[in-house]
Amino acid sequence: MFKYIWKKELQGELYTWKSMLWLVIASLLFSFTSYLLLTDRELSLLDQTELMLLLSQIIIVVALLIITIDASSIITAEFENATAETIFLAPLSIKDFLLGKFLASLTLWVLLFIVSLPYIIVASSGSHLTMAFIGYTALLGTLGIVGLVAFIFAVSLLLRSTKNTLTTSLITVLVLATPALFSTTLKNNALSQLFSQIDPIDNMFSSLDNVLVDYQTSLLQNWRFILPLVMFCALMFVFLVFAARKFNEEGVIKND
Amino acid sequence: MKNLTDMTDIIFADNLSKSYGNRKAVDALTLHIREGEIFGFLGPNGAGKTTTIRLLTGILKPDNGVVVIDQLLLSEQKKEVAQAIGVVPESRGFYNWMTAKEYLSFFAHLYGVRDDIDKRVEARLLQVGLLKRKHSMIGTFSLGMRQRLGLARALINNPKILLLDEPTLGLDPQGQEDIQQLLKKLNGDGVTIFLSSHLLNEVTNLCSGIGIINKGKLVAEGTIDELGKMTNLQDKTLTQTFLYLTSNGGERDV
């Protein structure tokens, strides 16, 4: 049953040009970054590995922000446009409903990743790290987005409002991105070190640094960064299951 | 459940209650609706009609009470109940970017229809007079056309029972007449209809049984003649009976 929800979402994204707009915005941002990296006097002096790291971080941040904005309305729009009642009058389980929506959000990530591929290939040309660059951006991005979308869907089911879900999700992404902005001195602090170790975005960036700058390309050399991301996904899935159960208890109409 | 509900009851609600904060929207409502009946459900604004339909369809969870639809306990067999009923709810949201045909095909898939979907979709569009607009975007539809499309969606799974919340709201007289004729035909084919309406002439024309709800309580139930006998009025039309039964705080004093 979930495939019909997935298909409907993709059809809606195409008909309303929503996804197309996001993909155009993403390619403009990547093009602008690439232009700066090539033409700006100081940035053009960066080592190729530093340039690749910067580009991979930009790809992941842009994808996280676009997915956050898109996923924040994918469920709540059903409540706000009064389509949730008709959709749940059909013999559709919340599991199928969520899975269909989940696949639609992941499809947008896949499309964003495809848009970023030419930039990755050009930035890493002549380097032996092209495949590692592609593979780790795909793996880390997918793990981060799976966890983030699970969180956004859980918040959507609990709040049932696009505005509130989007605000909560954007604040959460900003908080999770904070350790990446910590200076080296601040990172010496025990508390910020702990935060960095469990923070999914910081672990994504640390793993990319490990792969692209330090040439530690095997999964064994990156497990300490990937494990917190897997834990983040698992935790967010538990939160989503809790929200889905609460939704089943409350019913489709919360208040009249 | 068989000891609670008569075998001829296709819709049975027992002691159904729902509150919003301190306000009781539905208060200990008990309903028996027989198979093949067109049951009119009347009540003033805010009386609890929409809440009752939402409780009968499982969209809203009751605080108390049970619902049995076609011998299926709603709280335990929601999917089976969903297959047996077709609903036109009060809130009529549509996917405006879909065509009428795409919309009905999407719901046909959700109801598990696999064979001859196009044929079934076109038959439903023909029934509600929208076949010529099958490739039009729903966003371009008038209110009346949306009402018809909502009814076509409710019929997509060939339901045994239709629960309709103001199905002719916003339709012109010809549109109302067309829908009434369609409902009579469906009833003739064996479909039981639970009709919530403000239009008393519509209820008079269509319904064999009537329930009147006021302030969440069922204040009267029976045929038009039986309801008339509950009052001391000279004029025993449905309008006068309805006004009488709903004007004294929902308490029947006859």
Side-chain angles (χ1 to χ4, degrees), chain A residues 39-86:
Chain A
T39 57
D40 184 83
R41 185 179 288 177
E42 281 186 35
L43 286 174
S44 63
L45 292 174
L46 278 177
D47 186 60
Q48 189 185 16
T49 54
E50 293 286 342
L51 189 147
M52 284 156 62
L53 177 63
L54 191 61
L55 185 64
S56 66
Q57 289 173 340
I58 287 168
I59 289 167
I60 283 179
V61 167
V62 167
L64 286 176
L65 284 175
I66 287 178
I67 301 284
T68 300
I69 296 167
D70 192 76
S72 292
S73 64
I74 203 166
I75 287 178
T76 52
E78 301 277 8
F79 296 105
E80 291 175 349
N81 300 333
T83 47
E85 189 168 349
T86 47

Side-chain angles (χ1 to χ4, degrees), chain A residues 94-111:
Chain A
I94 183 73
K95 193 179 83 184
D96 282 331
F97 175 76
L98 289 173
L99 189 55
K101 300 272 182 183
F102 212 95
L103 290 173
S105 286
L106 285 184
T107 306
L108 181 57
W109 157 238
V110 172
L111 293 174

Side-chain angles (χ1 to χ4, degrees), chain B residues 36-75:
Chain B
E37 192 175 8
I38 302 186
F39 185 84
F41 198 50
L42 298 173
N45 289 332
K49 300 190 295 295
T50 296
T51 303
T52 303
I53 288 185
R54 284 175 171 167
L55 292 170
L56 293 177
T57 56
I59 282 293
L60 204 60
K61 302 276 175 180
D63 298 333
N64 197 16
V66 289
V67 174
V68 181
I69 304 274
D70 194 22
Q71 306 299 319
L72 300 162
L73 188 61
L74 178 64
S75 57

Side-chain angles (χ1 to χ4, degrees), chain B residues 3-17:
Chain B
N3 55 344
L4 277 175
T5 168
D6 191 302
M7 288 301 280
T8 57
D9 288 343
I10 198 159
I11 301 175
F12 169 65
D14 183 47
N15 201 29
L16 209 56
S17 297

Side-chain angles (χ1 to χ4, degrees), chain B residues 38 40 42 166 168 172-173 176-177 180 184 195 197-208 210 224 237-240 242:
Chain B
I38 302 186
L42 298 173
E166 309 275 359
T168 55
D172 58 29
Q176 288 179 13
E177 178 61 24
Q180 285 179 25
K184 275 184 186 170
L195 173 75
S197 178
H198 272 117
L199 303 172
L200 298 181
N201 64 332
E202 181 174 87
V203 173
T204 309
N205 286 341
L206 287 172
C207 301
S208 42
I210 292 167
I224 294 177
T237 58
L238 184 59
T239 306
Q240 291 308 316
F242 173 77

Side-chain angles (χ1 to χ4, degrees), chain A residues 1 15 78 85 248 252-253, chain B residues 59 61 91 95 97 102:
Chain A
M1 203 71 82
Y15 281 14
E78 301 277 8
E85 189 168 349
N248 271 338
V252 178
I253 308 289
Chain B
I59 282 293
K61 302 276 175 180
S91 54
Y95 303 109
W97 44 268
E102 286 168 346

Side-chain angles (χ1 to χ4, degrees), chain A residues 1-13 15-16 78 81-93 96-97 101 247-256, chain B residues 18 20 23 25 50-51 54 57-61 78-80 82-83 85 87-95 97-99 102-103 106-107 109-114 137 153:
Chain A
M1 203 71 82
F2 67 87
K3 67 180 179 187
Y4 302 109
I5 300 289
W6 182 21
K7 197 177 146 196
K8 175 192 82 89
E9 288 307 323
L10 295 185
Q11 198 184 356
E13 296 257 356
Y15 281 14
T16 55
E78 301 277 8
N81 300 333
T83 47
E85 189 168 349
T86 47
I87 215 166
F88 281 106
L89 280 167
L92 175 75
S93 69
D96 282 331
F97 175 76
K101 300 272 182 183
F247 175 83
N248 271 338
E249 281 166 20
E250 286 173 344
V252 178
I253 308 289
K254 210 172 171 183
N255 287 303
D256 207 358
Chain B
K18 179 72 186 176
Y20 299 114
R23 189 175 69 85
T50 296
T51 303
R54 284 175 171 167
T57 56
I59 282 293
L60 204 60
K61 302 276 175 180
K78 195 168 178 291
K79 280 194 176 182
E80 289 82 356
Q83 287 288 4
I85 62 172
V87 186
V88 174
E90 184 207 34
S91 54
R92 292 165 179 121
F94 291 92
Y95 303 109
W97 44 268
M98 278 187 184
T99 64
E102 286 168 346
Y103 181 75
F106 168 62
F107 276 97
H109 280 117
L110 290 189
Y111 278 97
V113 180
R114 294 291 174 266
M137 292 277 189
R153 185 193 47 71

